Amino acid sequence: MENLADAPMRAALASAAGGFDEACTEFIRVPSKADRPAAVIRGVTAGYSAHELAPWGVPLGAQIMGSEVRLMAAAARRLALELGAPRVDLNCGCPANSVTGNGAGSTLLKTPDRMQALVAALVEAVEGAAPVSVKMRSGFDDTSLFEDALLAAQAGGAAFVTLHPRTKRQAYAGGADWSLVARAKALLDIPVIGNGDVVDAATARKLLELTGCDGIMVGRGAISDPLVFHRIRASFAADQAAAAERRRQERQGQQQGQGQGGGGGGLGWERDVWPDEAEAVCSFLERYASTGPDGRYETAAAYSDQARPGRLKKALKYLFSGSPKLRAACGPLLRAQVADVSGGQLLARAQELVREHWRQGGPEDPVLVNHMSLKGASTVPGGAAAMVAAYGERQWQPLGTAAGAGAGAGAAGGAAAAAADAAPAAAAAPASVAPALVQAA
Ligand SMILES: Cc1cc2nc3c(=O)[nH]c(=O)nc-3n(C[C@H](O)[C@H](O)[C@H](O)COP(=O)(O)O)c2cc1C
């Protein structure tokens, strides 16, 4: 995420808690004109390091955004063939007017044929060295070209698509429409990664259950709860343990379902995910404050670099958004003038607040900060719990499951069945594509 999930944030998330299979850079902007193309492409890709998250074993894909086919292809080529990017992602989602005015980002959704040609050019440029994927919204003004855009990505040779199911016009307003993820999954042969409004294990499970998507990407939810990936993993691990136990019992000829502990749930499991969550969140903050834009970790930097307080305040706004106590306590901290407070002071005070108020088990009131206004306005009235309830009421059946095929189970029962299937299915995806079960945006 531009200006947010940058190198310091990625390192902080990976080092403090980890739990994600892969990450992708914020967009690398490729210009639409260049007098000296080779030098320009070297310049715009200079900040990318494929090994940035190697200490934590996390591959880092590179996202590019632009519309000029030759320059975009040159950027993809440089990233994949010279810099070793394990994946090149095409941004077809950025809603910023400065971007869409140049025909890039979400504007590509208006012209699926151009999008297809661009994807095909990137695929050709990387010569098989890395998969090319597409990150997209559900449309520009509306969803009338949604399916055309999905099919364009696939026909162009994308290895998978990641879908944030809001239109450009919606920006971050309203809830992400997960029914569109289900539609994408039904339409495409390539894997679909679902994204949008995942804030905890419950919402991750719901997204998988309702859509059958092949993986999940988490953006803002990871900044408001740096342990979210672990919570999601723990929840699915509980399912897998329960499934293994069921198989063991079946082998022993016992009746299915007898004597299971924690089967099909996991929603209480994540409570124990980390023995001292506040300390993990403090390390996350320390790492973030002490890591430079180049990804280098220097503890003294938190105390010397004048740019740190501003950046830290932005991250704190997300981090503290999910807890009424932290929100109330951090007001003076966020209002402090950057000139009056050093990064070190801000960090120390934020850590004190976290130690005092962080709730073991995760934020009680997950709020998705509106990217455009940076106000703590929830996109989900009532928070994630309300969203899960609302989706439950729609009575969708998960795709590709016995329940979804009409076994007659209610939505809740069908969803639970799909959840148990979903994780192994994602994990068993073809190695050549390797969509991550859990991605950091
Ligand atoms: C501050 C911010 C910056 C973002 N920058 C990018 C970006 O560079 N590339 C991209 O594909 N999406 C970007 N996004 C969109 C996110 O990747 C994601 O699709 C969106 O926030 C919805 O997912 P979430 O609810 O998990 O945050 C950005 C979002 C935010 C809030």
Side-chain angles (χ1 to χ4, degrees):
M1 293 184 289
E2 187 206 11
N3 280 329
L4 189 63
D6 51 7
M9 180 58 77
R10 291 190 291 263
L13 286 170
S15 71
F20 43 98
D21 298 289
E22 67 162 82
C24 189
T25 64
E26 63 275 49
F27 62 74
I28 295 169
R29 198 188 288 249
V30 178
S32 43
K33 283 192 210 120
D35 291 339
R36 295 168 50 235
V40 167
I41 295 303
R42 270 199 307 279
V44 295
T45 55
Y48 174 74
S49 163
H51 307 295
E52 184 187 291
L53 299 176
W56 303 282
V58 179
L60 178 67
Q63 185 182 77
I64 52 176
M65 184 171 70
S67 58
E68 206 287 315
V69 176
R70 268 174 309 174
L71 288 170
M72 286 289 280
R77 194 179 169 78
R78 165 126 179 103
L79 287 161
L81 293 171
E82 294 171 33
L83 300 176
R87 163 163 83 93
V88 174
D89 192 54
L90 172 64
N91 182 311
C92 298
C94 184
N97 291 336
S98 59
V99 166
T100 53
N102 288 331
S106 54
T107 306
L108 288 165
L109 300 170
K110 292 205 268 191
T111 50
D113 46 346
R114 276 188 57 224
M115 183 175 156
Q116 180 175 333
L118 185 51
V119 176
L122 302 187
V123 171
E124 190 185 339
V126 301
E127 295 178 14
V132 172
S133 53
V134 170
K135 167 80 187 304
M136 58 183 276
R137 283 179 175 254
S138 51
F140 194 83
D141 287 324
D142 56 40
T143 55
S144 54
L145 292 176
F146 174 58
E147 295 197 348
D148 297 293
L150 287 169
L151 291 170
Q154 177 169 278
F160 62 89
V161 297
T162 305
L163 177 61
H164 172 201
R166 285 186 176 92
T167 61
K168 181 263 181 201
R169 181 188 280 264
Q170 282 176 291
Y172 288 84
D177 183 354
W178 290 345
S179 72
L180 294 173
V181 179
R183 254 171 79 188
K185 184 66 193 140
L187 182 72
L188 297 183
D189 299 323
I190 55 175
V192 174
I193 308 297
N195 167 237
D197 300 355
V198 171
V199 288
D200 53 18
T203 40
R205 295 173 69 88
K206 257 322 179 222
L207 176 57
L208 272 178
E209 290 161 14
L210 295 174
T211 69
C213 64
D214 300 280
I216 296 173
M217 174 182 271
V218 183
R220 294 165 296 167
I223 321 287
S224 55
D225 178 11
L227 299 172
V228 72
F229 300 111
H230 263 277
R231 294 186 211 288
I232 294 171
R233 279 211 176 284
S235 180
F236 287 117
D239 283 348
Q240 284 169 348
E245 176 60 14
R246 262 198 309 275
R247 284 195 297 275
R248 192 187 66 76
Q249 290 183 2
E250 280 166 14
R251 274 200 302 275
Q252 287 179 350
Q254 294 179 356
Q255 273 192 345
Q256 187 175 6
Q258 263 185 3
Q260 289 176 17
L267 291 181
W269 216 81
E270 70 267 27
R271 198 160 276 284
D272 302 323
V273 65
W274 207 276
D276 186 346
E277 292 189 8
E279 276 315 310
V281 174
C282 286
S283 329
F284 158 81
L285 281 174
E286 196 274 334
R287 184 92 201 191
Y288 179 62
S290 308
T291 304
D294 56 359
R296 204 171 307 158
Y297 177 61
E298 298 171 275
T299 41
Y303 298 87
S304 58
D305 182 344
Q306 288 310 305
R308 297 298 153 95
R311 281 176 3 102
L312 196 52
K313 276 167 70 171
K314 194 167 175 184
L316 291 176
K317 185 153 201 165
Y318 280 79
L319 184 66
F320 289 176
S321 63
S323 153
K325 280 191 192 142
L326 277 168
R327 269 205 307 268
C330 80
L333 200 61
L334 296 184
R335 282 193 294 275
Q337 294 298 314
V338 167
D340 298 339
V341 62
S342 73
Q345 287 166 330
L346 201 61
L347 171 64
R349 181 68 190 126
Q351 287 178 320
E352 264 172 41
L353 289 176
V354 166
R355 288 195 179 99
E356 208 174 322
H357 296 298
W358 185 265
R359 178 171 168 271
Q360 189 75 9
E364 58 220 274
D365 175 26
V367 171
L368 288 164
V369 174
N370 182 330
H371 165 41
M372 292 314 198
S373 64
L374 274 184
K375 287 191 187 122
S378 174
T379 55
V380 184
M387 177 167 71
V388 170
Y391 276 89
E393 280 160 21
R394 290 191 196 176
Q395 302 276 310
W396 287 333
Q397 296 292 347
L399 299 171
T401 65
D421 292 344
S432 58
V433 174
L437 174 63
V438 184
Q439 277 185 24

